[in-house]
Amino acid sequence: MKWYLDSGNEGDVVISSRIRLARNIKGFPFANLLTDEQSKKILALIKDAATGLNLRYLSMASMPEVNRRMLVERHIISPEMLRNTQRRAVLLSDDEQISVLLGEEDHIRIQCMTAGLDLWRALDLANKVDDVLEEKLDYGFDPRYGYKTCCPTNTGTGLRASCMLHLPALTASGYIETLLSSAAKLGMTVRGLYGEGSGAGGNMYQISNQITLGISESESVKRLEDLVKVVIEKERGMRDTLRRENDDKLVDMVSRSAGILKSACLLSSEEAYNLLSDVRLGINMGIIKDIPIEAVNELTITTGVAHIAELCSEDTPSSRDKKRAEIVKKRLIKH
Amino acid sequence: MKWYLDSGNEGDVVISSRIRLARNIKGFPFANLLTDEQSKKILALIKDAATGLNLRYLSMASMPEVNRRMLVERHIISPEMLRNTQRRAVLLSDDEQISVLLGEEDHIRIQCMTAGLDLWRALDLANKVDDVLEEKLDYGFDPRYGYKTCCPTNTGTGLRASCMLHLPALTASGYIETLLSSAAKLGMTVRGLYGEGSGAGGNMYQISNQITLGISESESVKRLEDLVKVVIEKERGMRDTLRRENDDKLVDMVSRSAGILKSACLLSSEEAYNLLSDVRLGINMGIIKDIPIEAVNELTITTGVAHIAELCSEDTPSSRDKKRAEIVKKRLIKH
């Protein structure tokens, strides 16, 4: 089963936890300066080192454009991976929990995702992958500065820990603004779901720890976890307040959103995403009882533009909107 | 059964037909100039004359305000009847097809309503009531000018024929504007559902023949009927065009409206009215199959502000909106 179908710890607020380790191979320039020759050699070296990890090797260049975009929608690869595809590949586990990006900003980016708040398990997993690769690869490492990375902000542990949070009540109350500026003071970054520069569609936010230098891996993860726990409590408190002060409106909003998802015959990806956010809130607050959270988790991914485009014979916005409405209705009405 | 639950001839476009006859009793001033004494006397005279018609006599003054407003919402009395209630009453048949307004602008206004396009049956019914009343009452009548009425625009036959039409496609296409100006040239008036000055909520329009002088009753009815038949064809043609050119959007709109009605937990009267209009269109175009038209006919009336207020223990807009959503959901989900 794909990891994202599940709900994990604190799943009412935390969608997923992710650990990313950036690594580069000694004796080669950083990815953007590699020759084609060197690039091929590096991909071969890593692929070989990964034998035994039971990961599928997917070359970006040999994959249709729509499938690459599906990987972005599933948070398996970064949008950056859509460019220079002949130099890039990904190693992927069947449950999609482990993905190793090759030839992106760094030679190697190990990513491990878990459902809910589960940073330590994600870290364990990432360390295991890292250990296996390190047996055969010689990483660029400086005794004083730690792992060498293309961008200096990753130097040190090369680790970035992040959590995806669903914060509809903090967003509705406007308290999210205070939270964003507090997070920045703690060296954390908060951004919308589809990466830097994107808005917080569907009330989804990614909180990540940017500090990699002068701090241990576990300290980095702990700091993020502590902040996330505070945010969880704030969000829950605000949901209680909404419920106490505005229950009728809240119940109305989430019920209508579920009703529209079940009845619409045309749905844009943005509208679907926002309605699914309302339904997620409704389920987590016990208002909606006839839709399982797994259906929302699944649809949040499978209603993405690329996922729908792959199912359409004709790839136009209106045929996608029609197909998306069909997929949603089918999933929500007979689950 | 109440007449309005039914759908009549050309029921896909024509909601109802109405004939109104204005009469005044000889030897009394017009209603606005009556003394209290005279007013009482007239009410008693008419009540007596109506014996045998099997109509209930409802004195406006002895009825709670909310019940009076319910009669307005059911098109039984005019909003004018809500004022000077001690001088006004209505005679009403059980099926609400016949209502005789006493003490409004004229001493007597006989109103007969039928479902769909059925002006001749409404005229027959009105004439029968008129004949019975005339046996005992002496009407003000001039051999040259016809029935004397308070407002000179009603002099002559004292008849006004009108039809209530549902014109969503003509409204959406903007063609309604052309129609309104053409109707005026033919001496017809077109207005929104709740009488003069009101907008056309829910795409409902009342078309009526204003000419009462120098024209026979049957000629007056015939002219209206002819115009209505033209409008029916135009509306149907425009619905076909919508279907041909914009089918997906149309299906989406009516399906969503049905979905919102079934799922909302707060519904204002205006929103409910507009959503019911969409659902009516959806049913009449064969798009919506799981909602009977009778449910829409019923809810169009029973979701009115006064009808809902009567069911609420606490009469505030938010408790009404909640009750309205309950009523709608109950009717549409288990019909």
Side-chain angles (χ1 to χ4, degrees):
Chain A
M1 194 179 83
K2 307 298 183 204
W3 72 268
Y4 56 78
L5 295 180
D6 219 3
S7 286
N9 305 325
E10 325 288 0
D12 57 327
V13 178
V14 186
I15 307 299
S16 61
S17 301
R18 180 165 73 164
I19 294 292
R20 191 216 62 199
L21 301 175
R23 301 290 184 255
N24 286 279
I25 299 173
K26 203 167 159 179
F28 288 90
F30 286 127
N32 54 337
L33 296 174
L34 290 172
T35 63
D36 286 350
E37 204 71 9
Q38 290 173 315
S39 174
K40 268 185 202 162
K41 198 166 172 188
I42 280 194
L43 291 182
L45 276 173
I46 307 169
K47 190 178 175 183
D48 177 60
T51 318
L53 280 173
N54 201 19
L55 303 175
R56 268 185 306 151
Y57 180 88
L58 304 170
S59 142
M60 286 296 112
S62 65
M63 192 183 286
E65 165 74 12
V66 67
N67 293 62
R68 289 196 287 260
R69 288 191 288 119
M70 286 170 72
L71 293 183
V72 174
E73 285 174 3
R74 270 137 89 179
H75 309 290
I76 291 169
I77 64 171
S78 61
E80 173 62 26
M81 294 282 281
L82 299 176
R83 296 190 293 150
N84 293 327
T85 51
Q86 70 292 348
R87 289 160 159 262
R88 290 168 167 172
V90 63
L91 290 159
L92 186 63
S93 67
D94 279 345
D95 60 7
E96 298 179 4
Q97 235 179 349
I98 305 171
S99 61
V100 185
L101 275 50
L102 311 185
E104 207 236 34
E105 192 180 291
D106 295 295
H107 297 157
I108 300 173
R109 287 196 158 185
I110 300 166
Q111 292 191 144
C112 292
M113 309 270 287
T114 52
L117 180 58
D118 213 350
L119 287 162
W120 299 106
R121 199 159 64 83
L123 180 63
D124 264 5
L125 214 51
N127 283 337
K128 273 177 197 150
V129 173
D130 192 35
D131 291 346
V132 170
L133 294 180
E134 206 170 7
E135 276 175 31
K136 295 211 181 168
L137 299 173
D138 204 2
Y139 287 154
F141 185 83
D142 180 282
R144 182 154 179 213
Y145 294 114
Y147 291 103
K148 291 182 174 172
T149 55
C150 180
C151 176
T153 59
N154 292 316
T155 301
T157 57
L159 176 146
R160 183 169 296 173
S162 63
C163 285
M164 187 75 67
L165 307 186
H166 186 229
L167 305 176
L170 290 175
T171 305
S173 66
Y175 186 79
I176 194 81
E177 295 302 326
T178 315
L179 184 80
L180 301 192
S181 58
S182 311
K185 283 179 201 150
L186 297 168
M188 308 282 177
T189 298
V190 184
R191 58 189 193 186
L193 183 58
Y194 284 106
E196 253 152 327
S198 70
N203 304 309
M204 292 288 185
Y205 297 84
Q206 190 191 56
I207 305 191
S208 60
N209 191 350
Q210 300 292 87
I211 303 174
T212 51
L213 200 60
I215 181 174
S216 71
E217 292 175 343
S218 60
E219 183 59 25
S220 177
V221 169
K222 175 124 191 21
R223 282 193 196 172
L224 177 67
E225 189 183 48
D226 288 346
L227 176 64
V228 167
K229 283 180 174 168
V230 171
V231 176
I232 292 171
E233 288 317 308
K234 297 270 182 209
E235 170 67 19
R236 286 182 184 151
M238 206 54 87
R239 288 183 190 180
D240 289 346
T241 306
L242 273 182
R243 193 97 223 220
R244 214 166 40 244
E245 294 175 1
N246 246 326
D247 193 43
D248 287 343
K249 280 192 187 169
L250 182 70
V251 171
D252 182 54
M253 181 191 76
V254 304
S255 307
R256 280 173 185 246
S257 294
I260 293 171
L261 285 171
K262 286 179 189 171
S263 61
C265 299
L266 293 174
L267 271 176
S268 71
S269 61
E270 197 187 339
E271 187 185 12
Y273 200 72
N274 287 322
L275 294 171
L276 286 167
S277 162
D278 292 345
V279 171
R280 180 183 294 280
L281 179 67
I283 296 171
N284 285 328
M285 293 185 75
I287 300 167
I288 295 179
K289 298 195 175 71
D290 66 337
I291 298 179
I293 191 74
E294 293 73 24
V296 175
N297 289 338
E298 181 182 326
L299 288 172
T300 300
I301 298 289
T302 57
T303 57
V305 175
H307 280 76
I308 296 296
E310 211 241 347
L311 300 173
C312 288
S313 49
E314 180 200 8
D315 188 19
T316 63
S318 63
S319 63
R320 282 201 303 270
D321 290 355
K322 203 169 171 180
K323 176 61 77 179
R324 186 177 290 111
E326 272 172 43
I327 298 285
V328 169
K329 203 179 293 182
K330 206 169 157 190
R331 185 68 180 88
L332 295 187
I333 294 180
K334 44 165 200 176
H335 38 258
Chain B
M1 193 180 84
K2 307 298 184 206
W3 72 269
Y4 56 78
L5 295 181
D6 219 3
S7 286
N9 306 326
E10 326 287 0
D12 58 326
V13 178
V14 187
I15 307 299
S16 61
S17 301
R18 181 165 71 163
I19 294 293
R20 190 216 62 199
L21 300 175
R23 301 289 185 254
N24 287 278
I25 300 171
K26 205 167 159 178
F28 288 91
F30 285 127
N32 55 337
L33 296 172
L34 290 171
T35 64
D36 285 350
E37 206 70 12
Q38 289 172 316
S39 174
K40 266 186 202 159
K41 200 168 171 188
I42 279 194
L43 291 182
L45 276 174
I46 306 169
K47 189 178 177 182
D48 178 58
T51 318
L53 279 173
N54 201 20
L55 302 175
R56 270 182 306 151
Y57 180 89
L58 304 170
S59 140
M60 287 295 112
S62 65
M63 191 183 287
E65 165 74 11
V66 67
N67 294 61
R68 289 196 287 262
R69 289 190 289 119
M70 284 169 74
L71 294 183
V72 175
E73 286 174 1
R74 270 137 87 180
H75 309 288
I76 291 169
I77 64 171
S78 59
E80 173 61 27
M81 294 282 282
L82 299 176
R83 296 191 293 149
N84 293 328
T85 53
Q86 70 293 345
R87 290 161 157 260
R88 291 170 167 171
V90 64
L91 291 159
L92 186 62
S93 66
D94 279 344
D95 61 7
E96 299 178 4
Q97 236 180 347
I98 304 171
S99 61
V100 185
L101 276 49
L102 312 185
E104 207 237 33
E105 192 179 290
D106 295 295
H107 297 158
I108 300 173
R109 287 196 159 185
I110 301 166
Q111 292 191 142
C112 292
M113 308 269 287
T114 51
L117 179 59
D118 212 350
L119 287 162
W120 299 105
R121 198 160 64 84
L123 180 63
D124 264 6
L125 214 51
N127 283 336
K128 275 177 195 148
V129 174
D130 192 36
D131 291 347
V132 170
L133 294 179
E134 206 169 9
E135 276 175 30
K136 296 210 180 167
L137 300 172
D138 206 0
Y139 287 155
F141 185 83
D142 179 281
R144 183 151 177 215
Y145 295 113
Y147 291 102
K148 292 181 174 172
T149 55
C150 179
C151 176
T153 59
N154 293 317
T155 303
T157 57
L159 176 145
R160 183 170 296 173
S162 64
C163 285
M164 187 76 67
L165 307 187
H166 186 229
L167 305 176
L170 289 174
T171 306
S173 67
Y175 187 80
I176 196 80
E177 296 302 327
T178 315
L179 184 80
L180 300 191
S181 58
S182 310
K185 283 179 201 151
L186 296 168
M188 307 282 177
T189 299
V190 184
R191 59 189 192 187
L193 183 58
Y194 283 104
E196 253 151 330
S198 69
N203 304 310
M204 291 287 187
Y205 297 84
Q206 191 190 57
I207 305 192
S208 59
N209 191 350
Q210 299 292 88
I211 302 173
T212 51
L213 200 61
I215 181 175
S216 72
E217 293 175 343
S218 58
E219 183 58 25
S220 177
V221 169
K222 174 118 191 26
R223 284 194 196 173
L224 177 67
E225 190 183 48
D226 288 346
L227 177 64
V228 167
K229 283 179 175 169
V230 171
V231 176
I232 293 170
E233 289 315 310
K234 296 269 182 211
E235 170 67 18
R236 286 181 185 152
M238 207 54 89
R239 290 182 190 179
D240 289 344
T241 306
L242 273 183
R243 195 96 223 222
R244 215 167 39 243
E245 295 175 2
N246 246 325
D247 194 44
D248 287 343
K249 279 193 187 167
L250 181 71
V251 171
D252 182 55
M253 180 191 77
V254 304
S255 306
R256 279 172 184 247
S257 294
I260 293 171
L261 285 171
K262 285 179 189 171
S263 61
C265 298
L266 293 174
L267 269 178
S268 72
S269 61
E270 198 189 337
E271 187 186 12
Y273 200 71
N274 287 323
L275 294 172
L276 286 167
S277 162
D278 292 344
V279 171
R280 182 183 292 282
L281 178 66
I283 296 171
N284 285 327
M285 291 185 77
I287 300 167
I288 296 179
K289 296 193 175 73
D290 65 337
I291 299 179
I293 192 73
E294 293 74 26
V296 175
N297 290 337
E298 181 183 326
L299 288 172
T300 300
I301 299 289
T302 57
T303 56
V305 175
H307 279 76
I308 295 296
E310 211 239 347
L311 300 173
C312 288
S313 49
E314 180 200 8
D315 187 18
T316 62
S318 64
S319 62
R320 282 201 303 271
D321 289 354
K322 201 169 172 177
K323 176 61 78 180
R324 185 176 292 111
E326 272 172 43
I327 299 286
V328 169
K329 204 178 295 186
K330 206 170 157 187
R331 185 69 179 87
L332 294 189
I333 293 180
K334 44 165 199 174
H335 37 260

